[in-house]
Amino acid sequence: MNELQERILKEGQVLGNGILKVDSFVNHQVDPNLMDACGREFAKRFAHVGATKILTAEISGIAPALTTAIHLRLPVVYARKTKPITMPDQVYLTLAPSHTKGRMVELIVSPEYLANNEKVLIIDDFLASGQTILGLVRLAETAGSKVVGIGTLIEKVFEGGRDVLKSVGVPIESIACIKSLDNNTITFVD
Amino acid sequence: MNELQERILKEGQVLGNGILKVDSFVNHQVDPNLMDACGREFAKRFAHVGATKILTAEISGIAPALTTAIHLRLPVVYARKTKPITMPDQVYLTLAPSHTKGRMVELIVSPEYLANNEKVLIIDDFLASGQTILGLVRLAETAGSKVVGIGTLIEKVFEGGRDVLKSVGVPIESIACIKSLDNNTITFVD
C-alpha cells in the first residue's frame, strides 16, 4: 500500500452517491509533501512517454499537475472553467459533465499555450467517469497535439472511466485505484 | 533583478486598465521551475514568522502557495469561490471585489481546515487593491487564527494594496514590485 492509499484510508470520507471526500489532503487543504511524492511517482511512471507539456483542469488538478511538472521540468497548462479577460477571443472550448457539480462545465484553453505537435501528458486528481479527461483529450487533439499519457491520483474503478479512455490508446496510471465504496467502506484494487 | 522580474519583462503583456497578463508562466500556463524558485524565496523570507498553515485563494494562488508549502513543509488551504458538495453546511464565507471579474466573489473556507490558533501565512499571485487578501485575513481571523505574513508574487504598487493591508500589522513581501504600467511599459520599484 502506498502513501496516498494509506492517507485515503485514514482521512477519506465516503459521502454516498459514489463521492469520496479527500478535502483534508487533496481538494481544499493540500498536503504538499504527499502531493510532491505523487508528482515524483507520476514523473517516474511517465518518464518514457516523451511529454513536452502537462495539461490539467482547474481547480483540483493544479496541485498534482504542478508537482509532476516540477519533477519532469515541463510547463503545465490548466484549462480554465471561465474565460478570464486576459484570454484572447478565439479559444479552444469543450464541454464536459461534472458529477460533483451536477451540470456541464466548460473547459477552455488558449491557443497561445496549446499548440501544434505538443506531446501532452494529462494529470488530474480523479478518474471517475472519464468525461473531464476526455474533454482535455479533445482540447489537445483540436490543437493538433497528441496525448501521450493520462495520470490521476485516485481512480474510482467502478465508474468505468478507464474503458471510456481506452480509445485514446495511451498509458493510464492511477496512484490509488478504488474498487468499491459500498457500505461506506473504501476497498482498493488488489 | 530577480528571475520573476526578468520573466515579467520578457513575457508580461500590459493590457491597459492596469491589467498585466502573465498567462504564459503564472495564470494559465505555469512555469514549474520559476514557481518552485518563488516558493523557495517565500520560504526564506517567512522562515522567521512561525507559520503553521498557508492560506490562498483559488485559482491562481494555488501554484505559488503550493511551492511555498513544499519548502516550508506546511499544509496549504485554498479558499473556494463556490461551495463544493463535499463541504459542510456551516462554513466561513466572505465577499471580496474582483478587479478582473468586475464583480464580488465569495471566498469560502471549511472550519475543518482553518481552526483556532493557527498562525496563517497568506500567499497569492497578485497584490493589487488588496481586497482579496483582506478577505483571506477576515476568514483567518473569524476562525480564531492569526495572520503572521503576506506574500505575493507580483505587487502592483500603484493600486495601493499595501496601505490597505498595513492595519494587519504583519510583514508583506512581494517578489516583483511594479511601480507603473503607464505607456504600456513595465517599470519596477528600484
Side-chain angles (χ1 to χ4, degrees):
Chain A
M1 184 164 303
N2 61 45
E3 198 181 340
L4 179 62
Q5 289 175 311
E6 283 171 15
R7 194 65 170 274
I8 291 168
L9 280 188
K10 198 173 145 210
E11 293 181 27
Q13 291 171 257
V14 184
L15 297 188
N17 200 19
I19 293 169
L20 175 68
K21 173 174 170 171
V22 287
D23 285 8
S24 64
F25 54 104
V26 174
N27 287 139
H28 180 27
Q29 179 168 258
V30 179
D31 179 331
N33 299 315
L34 175 65
M35 209 53 75
D36 189 50
C38 291
R40 186 179 294 113
E41 177 67 22
F42 281 135
K44 198 175 79 179
R45 294 194 193 183
F46 290 109
H48 66 288
V49 301
T52 60
K53 192 160 282 195
I54 293 174
L55 179 64
T56 189
E58 68 179 29
I59 302 160
S60 300
I62 296 175
L66 179 61
T67 56
T68 305
I70 288 171
H71 289 286
L72 286 175
R73 305 183 74 86
L74 292 176
V76 53
V77 172
Y78 52 94
R80 311 291 313 237
K81 289 177 184 167
T82 53
K83 187 173 164 302
I85 53 172
T86 52
M87 207 179 259
D89 292 336
Q90 180 72 24
V91 296
Y92 299 122
L93 184 152
T94 193
L95 290 169
S98 166
H99 179 51
T100 45
K101 292 213 171 71
R103 58 176 173 84
M104 300 298 277
V105 296
E106 294 185 342
L107 296 171
I108 308 167
V109 171
S110 169
E112 298 163 293
Y113 313 118
L114 194 61
N116 256 326
N117 297 320
E118 297 273 9
K119 295 171 84 176
V120 175
L121 171 60
I122 293 173
I123 298 288
D124 208 354
D125 57 340
F126 275 95
L127 170 52
S129 70
Q131 293 301 323
T132 301
I133 291 173
L134 208 56
L136 293 174
V137 171
R138 284 194 299 272
L139 289 175
E141 291 179 346
T142 303
S145 288
K146 190 175 151 44
V147 175
V148 293
I150 295 166
T152 67
L153 294 176
I154 304 171
E155 178 174 348
K156 296 195 286 188
V157 174
F158 54 92
E159 292 200 30
R162 189 174 283 260
D163 286 338
V164 168
L165 298 174
K166 198 177 283 178
S167 61
V168 185
V170 298
I172 301 170
E173 294 281 348
S174 301
I175 296 179
C177 292
I178 295 173
K179 190 163 63 182
S180 158
L181 295 174
D182 292 348
N183 305 316
N184 284 339
T185 305
I186 301 164
T187 312
F188 293 109
V189 173
D190 297 330
Chain B
M1 184 164 302
N2 60 47
E3 198 180 339
L4 179 61
Q5 288 174 312
E6 282 170 16
R7 194 64 170 273
I8 291 168
L9 280 189
K10 199 171 145 209
E11 295 180 28
Q13 291 172 256
V14 184
L15 296 189
N17 199 21
I19 293 169
L20 175 68
K21 173 174 171 172
V22 287
D23 285 10
S24 65
F25 53 104
V26 174
N27 287 140
H28 181 26
Q29 179 167 259
V30 179
D31 178 330
N33 299 314
L34 176 65
M35 209 52 76
D36 190 49
C38 291
R40 187 179 294 112
E41 178 66 22
F42 282 135
K44 198 175 78 181
R45 295 195 193 183
F46 290 109
H48 66 290
V49 301
T52 60
K53 192 161 281 191
I54 292 174
L55 179 64
T56 189
E58 70 180 29
I59 300 160
S60 301
I62 296 175
L66 179 62
T67 55
T68 306
I70 288 171
H71 289 286
L72 286 174
R73 305 183 74 85
L74 292 176
V76 54
V77 172
Y78 52 93
R80 311 293 311 240
K81 289 178 183 166
T82 52
K83 188 174 162 304
I85 53 171
T86 51
M87 207 179 260
D89 292 335
Q90 180 73 24
V91 295
Y92 299 122
L93 184 152
T94 195
L95 290 170
S98 166
H99 180 53
T100 44
K101 291 213 170 72
R103 59 174 173 85
M104 301 295 279
V105 296
E106 296 185 339
L107 296 172
I108 309 168
V109 171
S110 169
E112 299 163 293
Y113 312 118
L114 194 60
N116 257 324
N117 297 318
E118 296 275 11
K119 295 172 86 177
V120 175
L121 171 61
I122 293 173
I123 298 288
D124 208 355
D125 57 341
F126 273 96
L127 170 53
S129 70
Q131 293 302 321
T132 302
I133 291 173
L134 208 56
L136 294 174
V137 171
R138 285 195 299 273
L139 289 176
E141 291 180 346
T142 303
S145 288
K146 191 176 153 38
V147 175
V148 295
I150 295 167
T152 68
L153 294 177
I154 304 171
E155 179 174 348
K156 295 195 285 188
V157 174
F158 54 93
E159 293 201 29
R162 190 174 283 260
D163 286 339
V164 168
L165 299 173
K166 201 178 280 178
S167 61
V168 185
V170 299
I172 301 171
E173 296 280 348
S174 301
I175 295 179
C177 292
I178 295 174
K179 190 162 63 181
S180 160
L181 295 175
D182 293 348
N183 305 316
N184 285 339
T185 305
I186 300 165
T187 313
F188 293 109
V189 173
D190 295 330

